[in-house]
Amino acid sequence: YLINNHKIHHPEARRMSRLEGLRANSSQFTLEGEPFRILGGSIHYFRVPRAYWEDRLLKMKACGLNTLTTYVPWNLHEPERGTFNFQDQLDLRAYVSLAAEMGLWVILRPGPYICTEWDLGGLPSWLLQDKDMQLRTTYPGFVDAVNLYFDKLVSVIKPLMVKGGPVIAVQVENEYGSYAKDEKYMPFIKNCLQSRGINELLLTSDNWEGLRYGGVEGVLKTINLQRLSFGAIQHLADMQPQKPLMVMEYWSGWFDVWGDHHHVFHAEAVVSEILERGVSINLYMFHGGTNFGFMNGAMDFGTYKPQVTSYDYDAPLSEAGDCTPKYQLLRNLFSQYHSEPLPEVPSPQERRAYDPVVIQQHLSLWDSLHFTEKPHRSDRPVNMENLPVSNNSGQSHGYTLYETTISSGGTLNSRNNIRDRALVFVDRQCVGSLDYKTHELTLPDGKGHRMLSLLVENCGRVNYGKALDEQRKGIVGDILLNHTPLRGFNIFSLDMKPGFMKRLYIHPQGWGKGAVFVNGQNLGRHWFIGPQHFLYLPAPWLRSGENQIIVFEEQKADDKILFAENPDHGKTIDVYKLPFCTLL
């Protein structure tokens, strides 16, 4: 999709200021001393190109919502230990200030853990360099890192809260009741905020089961759900008599994983029932956006399943920001809770598809190694996070190539130490693959010494559950050939950062698996197994004249790249028809 970039003026825009903040001292929220119902929606600034922030927030306001909620991803804001980024696409202060111009209040969800189908739940991968790391606990190594991060983060967000900022509440951690490994941890995170001067209303959010374990004294509990159960809401009310009720995450759709169907959900009727009960609500997601780059998470409840690049989520606004039928139904519903007419919905976006692009040059993996840094030599395999790259913060994403010499064929056994998927080459000829399902591969016999290469992809770290500490990637232990551990590795870091690679949808039909880059921007992964078959290309990432498209392809290459006006999310499945345990 292409959008004409233009500045929209807001004569009605005002500074979101108040003398008295959000309070939860009775069965109803108050703001500036007046009763207040939170009608919220989630849009994550890091999943939406900055040039489109304004368009998405205008559509939120026009839908009848009054509050924006957003997570804050630690792993983007501190990609290397001690190196912070709150600029450009990650300018959190600008995003929140823009929401204020739109007349929206803001609830911040700074984590440090955020889940959200995001790599490692938003935690930086360099934390895993410590072999004894215990994430989301008061383990000293984690506590020290959180304190340094919160020192920086609070300095950014605090001006948005002090008598005139739009931030009315801050969430303490995220769904800790489903993790609950350390009873001292939640009080620590609460103190991290308050000791740095965060005096706004504090919230926690948990599913029904997590409510028993995820709270902290003096902090308002909220609930996350999709299928309406008045038992769940009553359970929340019983835990907090004479306190306002809020569904912090009403799941308006669901996320997708590779090799599965695209999830859809009809949310409107349930939202109506929640509102009729006087409960405050936040639509998760109002607009999902995209897991650009390699930032998707994964789920693992016995079987590892990485999530797709698209975070369309079957939300009221599509991945490309279009108003869906769900948006129109919800707008009609929310309009009933306003005494004045809602703002007009912004005009639909211009659509255009380019002609197919013919591939002009091909570069093999082996030839591209000349553009990488020198390989790291190690007797044993080294996992991504502990490679001496990125100012010794390790490799976070992408691919890692491990090479050693062998003198025979036979049985190669990964011992399940491949994280997450490896293409195996002998003398640079592909002989098969290894992953979480396939642990053994027969190597062909040959004469003399030959080069064995394993190209390992980090397909995404698990973002939810109790296995967060085990999310190291690459080769995480010994690989055996005929029962003997391999030794003597050259290890290349192929993180695919812009330095290495120097709107509308791209359709990688005829391609197998890999990633697509346009003018140095990583659009994300493609994989023929679906359900996603298109990659979203935002108009601001294109330029007049020539544009460079690079496809990193693992399996099969076509001679052209196709474009389309509309995406194909693949076969759909209604979330309501799935067993509830499947969703959790």
Side-chain angles (χ1 to χ4, degrees), residues 3-22:
I3 296 182
N4 291 328
N5 293 321
H6 59 283
K7 183 68 178 175
I8 304 171
H9 296 284
H10 312 285
E12 77 288 358
R14 60 187 176 87
R15 183 169 173 78
M16 302 296 285
S17 61
R18 71 255 185 250
L19 298 176
E20 182 181 320
L22 188 67

Side-chain angles (χ1 to χ4, degrees), residues 36 95 114 121 168 202 214 232-233 257 307 355 375 379 386 399 429 564 571:
F36 182 71
Y95 183 63
I114 60 174
I168 56 174
L202 298 182
I233 292 178
V257 297
Q307 289 135 10
D355 294 332
D379 191 43
N386 287 95
Y399 295 76
Q429 296 296 313
K571 266 189 165 180

Side-chain angles (χ1 to χ4, degrees), residues 250-264:
Y250 176 71
W251 301 319
S252 63
W254 202 245
F255 60 86
D256 298 334
V257 297
W258 289 112
D260 205 343
H261 292 159
H262 172 58
H263 294 82
V264 297

Side-chain angles (χ1 to χ4, degrees), residues 364-397:
S364 74
L365 168 66
W366 319 111
D367 291 334
S368 71
L369 296 180
H370 299 298
F371 302 101
T372 68
E373 297 179 4
K374 290 183 179 179
H376 172 64
R377 298 183 62 87
S378 174
D379 191 43
R380 296 171 179 266
V382 178
N383 57 287
M384 275 188 179
E385 296 79 5
N386 287 95
L387 288 174
V389 297
S390 301
N391 296 313
N392 288 318
S393 290
Q395 181 179 343
S396 294
H397 310 289

Side-chain angles (χ1 to χ4, degrees), residues 327-338:
Y327 176 96
Q328 302 297 345
L329 289 169
L330 288 172
R331 185 172 188 265
N332 292 337
L333 173 61
F334 286 124
S335 69
Q336 301 171 25
Y337 294 86
H338 291 267

Side-chain angles (χ1 to χ4, degrees), residues 96-159:
V96 173
S97 299
L98 181 61
E101 290 182 27
M102 304 289 141
L104 293 166
W105 301 105
V106 177
I107 296 177
L108 282 183
R109 311 175 78 188
Y113 164 83
I114 60 174
C115 185
T116 194
E117 291 71 65
W118 195 253
D119 188 85
L120 201 58
L123 301 175
S125 62
W126 46 258
L127 291 167
L128 297 175
Q129 290 181 322
D130 180 348
K131 63 181 179 59
D132 299 317
M133 175 56 66
Q134 299 172 47
L135 301 173
R136 303 180 74 192
T137 70
T138 52
Y139 175 75
F142 188 71
V143 166
D144 291 346
V146 169
N147 275 320
L148 290 173
Y149 170 57
F150 270 48
D151 284 345
K152 179 63 177 180
L153 174 62
V154 172
S155 73
V156 172
I157 65 176
K158 192 174 177 181

